[in-house]
Amino acid sequence: ETEARLIARGLMACGVERGERVALWATNVPEWIVLQFALAKIGAILVTVNTSLRAHELDYLLRQSESATVITVSGFKDVDYVSALREIGAMRDSKLPNLKRAIFIRRGDEACPDDLMPYEALREKASEISEAELDARESEVGLDDVINMQYTSGTTGFPKGVMLSSRNIVNNGYWMAQGLGYSPQDRLCLCVPLFHCFGCVIGVLGAYTHGTCLCPIEFFDARKVLETVERERCTSLYGVPTMFLAEMEDAEFARFNLSSLRTGVMAGALCPEVLMKKALAEMNLSEITIIYGLTEASPGITQTKRDDTLEHRTQTVGQVLPEMEVKIVDPATRESLGANQHGELCVRGYNVMRGYYNNPEATRAAIDDKGWLRTGDQATM
């Protein structure tokens, strides 16, 4: 909280305004989580950027989101982020119409490039803004103001910016953490990317609403996950099915003590029964749950229960989360269908996005006039 307030004041001193889009292109570094809270405090919108983007994709995202600020690290895997930003003219004397500032998060003893502002400068600039000025700004921010934008490709065309509010993501994180039985005694090994709802909502906000300790990993590495769980005595672990598979197939898997694990989330892809059985047996994940959702729904819509039978955990995506409604409709006629009839899953409630940024046509196609969000996914109830 202290650090987030300090950085929030620094951002205000740099001229970051309420409603301004701030693109964050970084791996799971500590500053990512600080910025998630700092930007929300000042009513700015965190635009989460996929760490695997290439220069031309970033160019599209910065232009479509009309971001005024970009915050970055030196790079990830084979992508040099600083070179990519230079290539698209996103540094000083920006060639992008809305971009005003670029900030660099240093790792270790890296030098900050001359044409970027070092992140530490935000701490120094904070003294220019009083605590009272921050309080005044924070009091203007409403529960339904957009604070988070995530780009989702969907199946066709260019990625669309999903606009999410505090009400959307704080409540969604809360209910999924409730489903995991979280308390301040829990410790979550967070190895899914923060730029995705799985990381910044189910992960950060789920833990935050229940006082659960976060143990983030900068980027997924099966061995690092096993080491972190053992060292930090983590009780919960998240991942897509291939992550759990990579952990269990690690050459030294047997030497790690994972007895502290209790629960977690497998999501993002179909969770095969054989993998689920293996995770329960070999990783001590007796209370692991499956979550189904999509970014437009903040993201969680359904979750299996911690004590569900193996059949329910592997053959279903659980039950609808509290405080939202789902229905199955005929995709052609939009008529509601009964039990055991295949159709499109639709959801309505606090979790439905505010819309796609600067794209009213796509928003109208996704959300009907009664507030139902079409998921595009086939389901039966």
Side-chain angles (χ1 to χ4, degrees):
E1 166 73 4
T2 312
E3 180 70 4
R5 284 184 66 87
L6 187 72
I7 296 302
R9 284 160 52 214
L11 289 161
M12 282 174 70
C14 286
V16 176
E17 293 170 14
R18 186 176 162 196
E20 180 177 309
R21 271 79 54 213
V22 177
L24 179 51
W25 196 23
T27 46
N28 291 5
V29 294
E31 292 87 348
W32 209 110
I33 295 170
V34 173
L35 284 161
Q36 184 176 353
F37 288 94
L39 291 164
K41 285 178 187 297
I42 64 171
I45 300 167
L46 167 61
V47 180
T48 66
V49 185
N50 189 314
T51 50
S52 302
L53 290 197
R54 304 285 159 168
H56 68 279
E57 296 168 311
L58 179 71
D59 183 62
Y60 169 79
L61 183 147
L62 292 175
R63 287 174 189 274
Q64 205 283 329
S65 65
E66 301 177 322
S67 288
T69 304
V70 62
I71 304 176
T72 191
V73 291
S74 57
F76 176 58
K77 290 191 172 163
D78 59 340
V79 185
D80 180 329
Y81 290 2
V82 177
S83 295
L85 285 164
R86 284 198 185 116
E87 189 183 319
I88 62 173
M91 306 293 232
R92 270 193 203 132
D93 309 319
S94 167
K95 293 182 183 62
L96 301 180
N98 300 91
L99 202 68
K100 295 176 185 165
R101 57 190 82 80
I103 300 171
F104 184 75
I105 298 170
R106 299 196 297 182
R107 315 300 308 131
D109 51 9
E110 283 176 338
C112 179
D114 293 341
D115 40 3
L116 283 165
M117 176 181 136
Y119 178 85
E120 306 88 86
L122 293 173
R123 280 201 192 84
E124 292 152 24
K125 292 181 82 64
S127 58
E128 298 169 25
I129 301 288
S130 70
E131 296 282 354
E133 285 171 290
L134 173 58
D135 290 339
R137 170 79 80 92
E138 199 171 356
S139 68
E140 294 170 2
V141 183
L143 285 180
D144 296 304
D145 288 359
V146 176
I147 57 158
N148 184 298
M149 252 167 69
Q150 317 225 347
Y151 276 77
T152 178
S153 52
T155 48
T156 54
F158 291 104
K160 300 184 284 289
V162 175
M163 298 187 288
L164 300 171
S165 68
S166 294
R167 192 189 303 275
N168 287 150
I169 59 180
V170 176
N171 286 320
N172 203 247
Y174 171 86
W175 282 117
M176 289 179 285
Q178 196 71 357
L180 294 166
Y182 274 174
S183 78
Q185 274 61 60
D186 282 295
R187 299 171 72 79
L188 164 62
C189 175
L190 189 62
C191 58
V192 293
L194 289 167
F195 69 74
H196 191 280
C197 272
F198 200 170
C200 67
V201 180
I202 307 179
V204 176
L205 295 177
Y208 167 73
T209 55
H210 285 69
T212 291
C213 175
L214 276 180
C215 306
I217 291 174
E218 192 170 335
F219 51 85
F220 179 75
D221 175 294
R223 181 69 56 85
K224 274 203 179 108
V225 170
L226 297 169
E227 288 168 354
T228 303
V229 169
E230 180 177 70
R231 184 183 67 243
E232 303 295 338
R233 307 303 295 140
C234 293
T235 59
S236 181
L237 178 62
Y238 293 173
V240 296
T242 51
M243 288 178 171
F244 286 98
L245 192 62
E247 289 148 16
M248 289 187 279
E249 286 182 347
D250 184 280
E252 294 188 32
F253 177 76
R255 80 170 168 88
F256 290 98
N257 178 357
L258 308 178
S259 61
S260 58
L261 284 174
R262 165 183 76 77
T263 191
V265 175
M266 208 184 280
L270 200 64
C271 305
E273 185 168 355
V274 55
L275 179 65
M276 203 66 175
K277 279 183 174 161
K278 212 165 138 72
L280 264 77
E282 295 181 22
M283 297 186 80
N284 205 43
L285 291 164
S286 59
E287 297 179 22
I288 193 168
T289 71
I290 300 278
I291 289 176
Y292 156 75
L294 60 158
T295 308
E296 289 87 341
S298 298
I301 299 175
T302 68
Q303 182 176 19
T304 57
K305 296 209 176 305
R306 286 179 290 145
D307 56 357
D308 268 346
T309 62
L310 190 66
E311 186 190 11
H312 271 147
R313 282 196 244 190
T314 53
Q315 308 301 317
T316 80
V317 288
Q319 298 175 16
V320 62
L321 289 163
E323 298 182 358
M324 59 180 86
E325 309 166 81
V326 296
K327 65 177 179 178
I328 311 288
V329 302
D330 181 310
T333 65
R334 311 308 299 164
E335 292 298 313
S336 289
L337 299 173
N340 303 312
Q341 288 184 285
H342 287 272
E344 182 183 8
L345 179 74
C346 297
V347 62
R348 179 167 71 176
Y350 74 82
N351 64 312
V352 172
M353 66 169 177
R354 308 288 295 160
Y356 294 116
Y357 186 70
N358 275 356
N359 198 335
E361 300 80 23
T363 302
R364 277 194 298 274
I367 304 167
D368 73 15
D369 53 6
K370 293 197 170 64
W372 288 98
L373 170 71
R374 299 175 63 161
T375 65
D377 290 325
Q378 188 184 48
T380 54
M381 213 185 300

